[in-house]
């Protein structure tokens, strides 16, 4: 997990102001006519003052300010006065402005991170009993209104007047020829590319929060699933949260005797969630027995109840498309922001062009390259041989490629507990750990001096700094008996994040370029560290067979989630074409899209047609077109991990430093600097092909 500089960036792309104003009608982002007239006069005045050489910058800057200007910012005279006072001609004046804004934005973001970190420490760190006020303090966000305030105080207009707003298309076309300063200027203006009214952001936050609540309460009790003979398939056990626990239970059942019947039952549950024929009464209710094939429901007998008294009757009515109603609400909420982001006027454009900085068409091509790869059929044939039966739809979640550890958990726990009785012991060992990972003693000491280790309440996370002079924080869980192996494994992962965060803040040439392009890049560095955890305990590294199995697992997981990502995208495209759709219409569209994707990419590999399992992902409902990040993350991760794995011993430290200090110039420039190629699916496919070729299980 990482709470890296994205927190800081989010501060400046800030969302959600808790103003209670009603959502305005779809106000156009056009400036009012008096400001349009003033803009023409302002251009003339600035040309007279600064000369023809500045014409392109003047026209662009005045247009950018006019595009963001609102009546509340002032009248035509105020507009003209601001532009006249704040325009800086190229040369020393512009350089001075750049340096001022770069420093100011670093201070704003960095101190907001520190304030938030201090206010959330009681909720997040293991510092004794939680007080009722702690979650409230933790939810406070010192940066929530930063962008609004910078517009209100006109700093944002000074930036927009002098630095270029760019589209992804422009950055892709021209960025290779840009200087680092040009990139930093583009990032500076980009902080102010969106001026979405607080009420619209609040509507987005409310719709998302409602969808998240719906998802968070969507549990199924497996003990209450009955087969055709009325037999229970599962013993009493925990409820399963859809879709995560349902999917993970399917994975776990590969290793259980009789697991196939339970896997089929869970698959049937999923398809009823997707098409909403699931009886509403079985959701999050342990008092109802349910046959997911016949769809019959009945009160659970007293002996089978987890709690409470048996009920007299059960309503068999299906869930009334709530899943699709919540999803549509999030669509309508983000669509309301469209007029305020002229450079990316749909949510689909904002997700791909602003957040991911990879064009939609390129992401689709990458995903389809994986979906149609011949290696997938070979892996499927291998899985079929291992299972000894024809494949079924739920086998997209086949889980048998994860290598078994050569050590028991207890053996490993004993080692880590002895080494790390406290978080302070882990912090004291940072220089040695970093040295073992390939950093020089000087660099290891430099990094260790910038990373603070804190005791976490949860599993652990990495919280980066956003201001030079501040510390990155590694949060780790250490129980009373010392750090167990699971905690150590996570802590080494988080250390990878902290190292990336530290280099990409302190060693990047402009803090406007701080960070990495997206979470997949920092996760890749974290996984590279995590994969070496046994070596850090003085044990031999993973063997070749384990690496082969992981390569097959990577391909199978990426193949599975690539289709889910395309479904997410297709559904959003459909909603944009049908903005007045009812929940029932969205359900029908999602079912149709998921069957089409299934029949195109999955049925030829697995056999059965028309499965709708891809649509069970809860992220579809509440995460606003987030799912493409997963397969992209796998591709980026494998690409980087293979690069790092190929390094000679001792070279890892210097290489991690070289690639992470590059800064955020977007995924493709970053990857080209790191590995010499843009983001690509080839390394994943090549690793799988090599693993298949070397596998003793594959008959040739
Ligand atoms: Zn992570």
């Amino acid at each position: 997990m990482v709470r890296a500089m994205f927190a800081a960036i989010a501060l400046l792309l800030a969302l959600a102001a808790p103003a209670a104003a009603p959502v305005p009608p779809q106000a156009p982002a056009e400036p009012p006519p008096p400001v349009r007239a003033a803009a023409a006069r302002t251009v003339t005045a600035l040309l007279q003052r600064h000369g023809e050489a500045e014409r392109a910058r003047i026209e662009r800057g005045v247009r950018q300010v006019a595009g963001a200007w609102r009546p509340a910012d002032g009248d035509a005279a105020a507009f003209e006065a601001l532009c006249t006072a704040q325009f800086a001609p190229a040369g020393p004046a512009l350089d001075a402005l750049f340096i001022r804004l770069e420093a100011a934005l670093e201070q704003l973001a960095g101190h907001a991170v520190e304030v938030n970190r201090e206010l959330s420490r009681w909720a997040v760190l293991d510092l004794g009993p939680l007080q009722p006020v702690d979650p409230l303090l933790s939810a406070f966000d010192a940066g929530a209104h930063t962008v609004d305030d910078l517009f209100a105080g006109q700093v944002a207009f000074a930036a927009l007047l002098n630095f270029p707003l760019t589209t992804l298309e422009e950055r892709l076309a021209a960025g290779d020829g840009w200087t680092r300063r040009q990139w930093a200027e583009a990032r500076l203006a980009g902080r102010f590319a969106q001026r979405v009214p607080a009420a619209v952001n609040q509507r987005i936050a409310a719709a998302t929060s409602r969808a998240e609540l719906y998802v968070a309460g969507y549990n199924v009790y497996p003990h209450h699933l009955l087969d055709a003979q009325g037999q229970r398939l599962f013993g009493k056990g925990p409820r399963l949260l859809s879709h995560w626990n349902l999917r993970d239970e399917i994975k776990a059942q590969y290793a259980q005797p009789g697991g196939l019947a339970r896997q089929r039952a869970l698959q049937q549950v999923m398809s009823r969630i997707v098409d909403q024929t699931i009886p509403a009464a079985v959701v999050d209710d342990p008092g109802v027995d349910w046959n997911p094939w016949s769809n019959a429901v009945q009160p659970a007998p007293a002996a089978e109840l987890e709690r409470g008294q048996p009920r007299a009757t059960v309503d068999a009515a299906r869930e009334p498309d709530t899943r699709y109603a919540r999803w549509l609400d999030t669509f309508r909420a983000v669509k309301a922001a469209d007029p305020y982001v002229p450079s990316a006027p749909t949510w689909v454009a904002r997700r791909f062009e602003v957040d991911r900085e990879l064009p939609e068409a390129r992401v689709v091509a990458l995903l389809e390259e994986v979906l149609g790869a011949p290696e997938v059929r070979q892996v499927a044939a291998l899985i079929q041989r291992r299972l000894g039966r024809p494949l079924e739809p739920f086998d997209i979640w086949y889980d048998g490629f994860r290598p078994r550890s050569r050590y028991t958990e207890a053996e490993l726990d004993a080692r880590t507990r002895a080494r790390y009785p406290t978080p302070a012991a882990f912090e004291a060992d940072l220089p040695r750990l970093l040295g073992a990972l390939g950093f020089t003693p000087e660099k290891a000491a430099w990094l260790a001096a910038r990373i603070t280790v804190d005791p976490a309440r949860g599993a652990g996370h990495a919280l980066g700094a956003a201001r030079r002079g501040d510390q990155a924080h590694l949060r780790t869980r250490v129980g009373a008996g010392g750090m167990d192996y699971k905690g150590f494994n996570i802590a080494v992962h988080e250390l990878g994040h902290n190292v990336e965060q530290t280099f990409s803040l302190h060693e990047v040439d402009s803090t406007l370029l701080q960070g990495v392009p997206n979470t997949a890049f920092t996760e890749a560095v974290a996984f590279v560290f995590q994969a070496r955890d046994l070596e850090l305990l003085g044990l031999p590294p993973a063997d070749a067979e384990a690496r082969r199995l992981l390569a097959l697992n990577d391909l199978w997981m990426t193949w599975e989630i690539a289709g889910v990502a395309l479904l997410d995208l297709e559904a959003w495209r459909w909603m944009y074409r049908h903005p007045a759709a009812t929940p029932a219409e969205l359900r029908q569209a999602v079912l149709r899209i998921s069957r089409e994707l299934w029949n195109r990419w999955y049925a030829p590999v697995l056999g059965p047609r028309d499965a709708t399992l891809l649509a069970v992902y809860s992220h579809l409902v509440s995460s606003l077109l987030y799912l493409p990040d997963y397969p992209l993350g796998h591709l980026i991760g494998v690409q980087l991990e293979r690069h790092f794995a190929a390094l000679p011993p001792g070279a890892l430290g210097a290489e991690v430093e070289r690639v992470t200090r590059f800064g955020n110039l977007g995924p493709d420039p970053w990857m080209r600097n790191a590995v010499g190629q843009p983001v690509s699916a080839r390394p994943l496919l090549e690793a799988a092909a090599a693993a298949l070729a070397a596998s003793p299980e594959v008959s040739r």
Side-chain angles (χ1 to χ4, degrees), residues 1-3 460-462 490 493-494 497 519 522-524 526-527 530:
M1 187 209 257
V2 57
R3 298 184 192 173
H461 62 267
I490 293 171
H493 174 100
E494 305 306 342
H497 284 309
T519 46
T522 185
E523 288 301 338
F527 282 117
Q530 190 175 10

Side-chain angles (χ1 to χ4, degrees), residues 436-657:
L437 286 161
F439 293 96
T440 62
E442 299 72 34
K443 193 55 78 175
W446 181 88
L447 284 164
R450 283 159 182 79
I451 298 170
T452 300
V453 178
D454 299 322
R457 285 190 196 276
H461 62 267
L463 176 62
R467 178 183 71 81
R468 290 172 185 173
D470 192 17
Q471 297 284 102
H473 285 247
L474 191 159
R475 271 73 190 267
T476 179
R477 174 115 192 86
V478 179
M483 184 186 272
D484 61 19
Y485 169 68
K486 199 167 268 167
F488 174 74
N489 177 268
I490 293 171
V492 173
H493 174 100
E494 305 306 342
L495 178 60
H497 284 309
N498 286 138
V499 166
E500 174 275 301
Q501 291 159 353
T502 302
F503 284 137
S504 71
L505 170 66
H506 292 264
E507 294 197 344
V508 72
D509 53 351
S510 168
T511 51
L512 292 163
L513 299 173
Q514 178 206 334
V516 289
N518 59 49
T519 46
F521 292 84
T522 185
E523 288 301 338
V525 176
F527 282 117
V528 165
F529 277 47
Q530 190 175 10
R532 285 159 179 74
D533 70 330
L534 292 179
E535 294 163 69
L536 297 177
L537 291 175
L539 298 168
D543 60 19
E545 176 62 10
R547 286 200 298 276
R548 273 200 295 278
L549 291 175
L550 278 176
L552 299 178
N553 194 52
D554 282 339
L555 175 60
W556 198 250
M557 282 173 57
T558 310
W559 177 68
E560 177 261 328
I561 198 72
V564 180
L566 285 186
L567 169 63
D568 203 0
L569 171 59
E570 288 288 340
W572 275 84
R573 284 174 172 166
W574 186 90
M575 290 190 287
Y576 264 100
R577 290 197 305 274
H578 303 87
T582 63
E585 287 165 343
L586 176 60
R587 163 171 51 80
Q588 288 157 4
V590 167
L591 286 168
R592 177 181 55 74
I593 295 164
S594 49
R595 287 192 185 108
E596 284 171 4
L597 287 166
W598 183 271
N599 291 343
R600 179 170 178 198
W601 301 112
Y602 297 86
V605 173
L606 298 167
R609 290 178 61 80
D610 288 333
T612 55
L613 290 188
L614 300 175
V616 79
Y617 271 73
S618 296
H619 308 77
L620 294 169
V621 179
S622 63
S623 298
L624 299 165
L625 195 42
Y626 175 80
L627 282 160
D629 279 358
Y630 282 118
L632 281 174
H634 290 314
L635 298 185
I636 290 164
V638 170
Q639 194 169 7
L640 279 174
E641 284 161 32
R642 278 171 62 82
H643 172 73
F644 288 122
L647 295 171
L652 180 68
E655 186 63 0
V656 166
E657 180 178 9

Side-chain angles (χ1 to χ4, degrees), residues 224 226 230 232 282 287-291 296-301 311-314:
H224 295 280
L226 305 180
R232 279 172 212 283
V282 308
V288 182
D289 284 350
W290 174 37
N291 175 333
V297 285
Q298 62 197 53
R311 51 180 62 207
T313 59
V314 177

Side-chain angles (χ1 to χ4, degrees), residues 215 218 241-248 270 273 323 397 616-619 627:
V215 163
Y218 208 100
L241 179 65
S242 178
H243 70 286
W244 295 274
N245 297 154
L246 292 173
R247 178 199 59 192
D248 291 348
M270 288 178 166
I273 291 171
R323 179 179 182 83
W397 292 306
V616 79
Y617 271 73
S618 296
H619 308 77
L627 282 160

Side-chain angles (χ1 to χ4, degrees), residues 65 68-70 72-74 78 81-83 85-86 97 101 104-105 108 145-160 192 195:
V65 173
W69 196 267
R70 305 275 180 268
D73 296 317
L82 171 103
C83 291
Q86 295 298 333
L97 175 66
L101 291 180
L105 293 176
L108 277 170
H145 308 124
T146 301
V147 169
D148 285 347
D149 291 347
L150 290 173
F151 271 107
Q154 302 197 327
V155 174
F157 289 123
L160 289 173
F192 305 106
R195 194 185 184 190

Side-chain angles (χ1 to χ4, degrees), residues 171-172 175-176 183 662 665-674 677-678:
R171 292 195 295 281
L172 292 177
D176 283 348
W183 271 102
F662 182 69
L665 272 57
D668 280 335
W670 198 99
M671 193 64 96
R672 269 198 299 273
N673 174 70
Q677 299 281 330

